[in-house]
Amino acid sequence: MDASTARASNAMLVSLLLIFFPLACSIDFNYPAVFNFGDSNSDTGGLVASSLGDPLESPNGETHFESPSGRFCDGRLIIDFLMCAMDMPFLNAYLDSIGAPSFRRGCNFAVAASTILPPTQFSLSPFSFGIQVAQFFRFKEKVERLRDKTRKFDKYIPPEDVYQKALYMFDIGQNDLAGAFYSKTYDQIIASIPLILSEFEDGIHKLYDQGARYFWIHNTGPLGCLAQNIAKFGKDPSKLDELGCVSDHNQASRLLNLQLHALTTKLQFQYPDSNITYVDIFTIKWNLIANYSRYGFEQPLMACCGYGGPPLNYDSRIACGQTKILNGSTVTAKACNDSTEYVNWDGIHYTEAANLHISSQILTGKYSDPPFADKMPFLLKLKF
């Protein structure tokens, strides 16, 4: 299959998935609400609403929203496609009060740059996992107090019995590893993994005690394949693996995921009245990067929106959409002509096209423990 045929096949698959994704909600995906915790991989506007980071400029959001939407992407994130699959509206960010957002079907506590471990003076985000869990408790308390006072806001807030039936999603931990590489040795980072997961386990216990019973836990993707990390830590070719990614970063991701999987198994036995699903995002993303042309992509590592040109088109001094003076010249980090050809959007995050592919793979159920492939007969018929 040549590149043009692969792109055409990919475009057809994208169209089919966008048409039929809502069908998946009738296959055991009938949750009344979703509560999400995470970092930029699932942030739908939290960091922007907090005013802690730089405002997201165009061309962020251009593919689907036609303007910046608070997402670090040209369009939709994995969580957006998963919500679509459940025939549910996009999740509004907990921190975003603009536009009278509805939280009846859930709330998104994810904030870009967040970590599982508590923040330090050097953290880019104060909204660590523990803080996000605390925000959920405050959200729940305020909803219950509001409902006790009046019923006129019922169409904007979750129903009274929603919390035990809702799905709790997690996509966090990437920044605990990625940030540590700037100040710690590889051995120190690996040694910190049990502490990271202990903090995560503590949050899960607290949510369970508050009635949560349905958990969906994403592991960490291949950090070494992000242009940001290749540019910083991959200058020595001996540090790169067979895909041109930074070996140490990917190995750290694998070790974190191995221990996270073990923790998930432990929780499954500890809470037999719960449904706890572990989703292997690493394998899905690794397969996409390793076999990018098979899925209709042309650039597995180079950023679509960035500055500097091939091979990475990434410069840490200027973010996607920004205009700055570098080396005496005014330059702008612009987007590529066709983001569907790229896996990576801005050197750190994935494109909408890549997120759609990843979501479709998640929904086959074969990358999950326990697997749910037998509950997705329609999606399994598609040739991914």
Side-chain angles (χ1 to χ4, degrees):
M1 182 184 294
D2 60 29
S4 59
T5 304
R7 284 199 301 275
S9 299
N10 190 49
M12 183 177 294
L13 175 59
V14 168
S15 300
L16 285 171
L17 287 169
L18 289 175
I19 293 171
F20 292 113
F21 249 179
L23 293 178
C25 70
S26 65
I27 311 174
D28 243 29
F29 269 69
N30 295 315
Y31 300 103
V34 173
F35 298 102
N36 183 71
F37 306 82
D39 51 34
S40 59
N41 289 314
S42 59
D43 181 355
T44 55
L47 184 67
V48 171
S50 75
S51 300
L52 289 174
D54 292 332
L56 283 178
E57 307 285 353
S58 179
N60 286 290
E62 66 176 6
T63 299
H64 179 77
F65 302 98
E66 298 183 351
S67 63
S69 65
R71 294 160 172 80
F72 290 80
C73 182
D74 61 311
R76 288 160 289 186
L77 307 176
I78 293 170
I79 190 171
D80 294 319
F81 287 113
L82 294 181
M83 295 300 291
C84 179
M86 290 183 275
D87 199 20
M88 295 174 69
F90 294 155
L91 285 181
N92 288 308
Y94 171 74
L95 295 173
D96 192 358
S97 60
I98 303 300
S102 171
F103 297 107
R104 185 163 180 80
R105 303 303 298 274
C107 184
N108 192 0
F109 299 91
V111 178
S114 294
T115 56
I116 292 176
L117 290 176
T120 68
Q121 59 179 324
F122 304 109
S123 298
L124 298 177
S125 165
F127 302 103
S128 64
F129 181 55
I131 297 298
Q132 292 181 27
V133 171
Q135 288 176 328
F136 166 76
F137 294 147
R138 176 169 170 77
F139 171 86
K140 184 180 177 184
E141 178 187 349
K142 291 190 71 175
V143 165
E144 292 171 350
R145 192 184 308 145
L146 182 62
R147 186 182 290 110
D148 289 340
K149 289 183 178 180
T150 178
R151 310 295 299 195
K152 67 180 181 180
F153 296 112
D154 280 6
K155 65 180 180 179
Y156 300 109
I157 59 178
E160 202 165 353
D161 62 346
V162 75
Y163 300 104
Q164 284 191 317
K165 301 175 183 178
L167 178 63
Y168 295 77
M169 298 181 68
F170 309 88
D171 193 332
I172 193 167
Q174 172 172 311
N175 295 318
D176 291 271
L177 296 182
F181 273 98
Y182 286 84
S183 60
K184 297 180 180 179
T185 66
Y186 175 80
D187 289 340
Q188 288 174 327
I189 293 169
I190 300 307
S192 72
I193 291 176
L195 181 61
I196 294 170
L197 294 184
S198 177
E199 186 75 17
F200 182 73
E201 182 179 8
D202 183 60
I204 297 294
H205 288 322
K206 289 178 179 177
L207 290 168
Y208 177 87
D209 289 342
Q210 286 286 320
R213 292 297 182 268
Y214 297 92
F215 301 90
W216 184 288
I217 301 170
H218 288 181
N219 72 8
T220 294
L223 295 179
C225 295
L226 299 178
Q228 180 190 57
N229 292 327
I230 300 172
K232 174 67 177 179
F233 301 97
K235 296 175 183 177
D236 181 353
S238 68
K239 301 291 186 181
L240 304 177
D241 61 21
E242 67 272 23
L243 299 185
C245 306
V246 186
S247 300
D248 281 355
H249 282 64
N250 281 348
Q251 186 59 16
S253 298
R254 291 186 179 97
L255 291 173
L256 173 68
N257 292 339
L258 187 66
Q259 294 183 48
L260 176 62
H261 195 183
L263 172 59
T264 304
T265 302
K266 170 188 169 183
L267 292 170
Q268 289 167 344
F269 282 100
Q270 186 172 358
Y271 297 135
D273 62 335
S274 295
N275 187 312
I276 303 174
T277 302
Y278 172 87
V279 186
D280 188 4
I281 298 294
F282 184 99
T283 296
I284 296 174
K285 290 183 175 180
W286 177 267
N287 288 342
L288 170 58
I289 294 167
N291 304 291
Y292 64 94
S293 60
R294 180 187 304 173
Y295 302 116
F297 293 90
E298 293 189 2
Q299 298 293 342
L301 303 179
M302 185 165 74
C304 166
C305 186
Y307 174 75
L312 296 175
N313 194 38
Y314 178 81
D315 190 315
S316 61
R317 297 172 295 176
I318 180 169
C320 173
Q322 290 185 344
T323 298
K324 288 187 175 181
I325 297 176
L326 299 182
N327 302 322
S329 300
T330 301
V331 298
T332 301
K334 299 179 180 179
C336 57
N337 292 329
D338 186 358
S339 62
T340 64
E341 297 178 353
Y342 288 69
V343 170
N344 195 283
W345 169 240
D346 58 3
I348 306 171
H349 309 96
Y350 286 61
T351 61
E352 177 180 272
N355 287 332
L356 174 58
H357 171 85
I358 295 162
S359 303
S360 68
Q361 295 294 291
I362 291 171
L363 289 169
T364 64
K366 61 186 179 180
Y367 294 98
S368 297
D369 180 19
F372 55 90
D374 59 321
K375 299 175 183 176
M376 293 297 189
F378 170 76
L379 288 171
L380 280 177
K381 294 177 183 177
L382 295 176
K383 302 297 183 182
F384 293 115

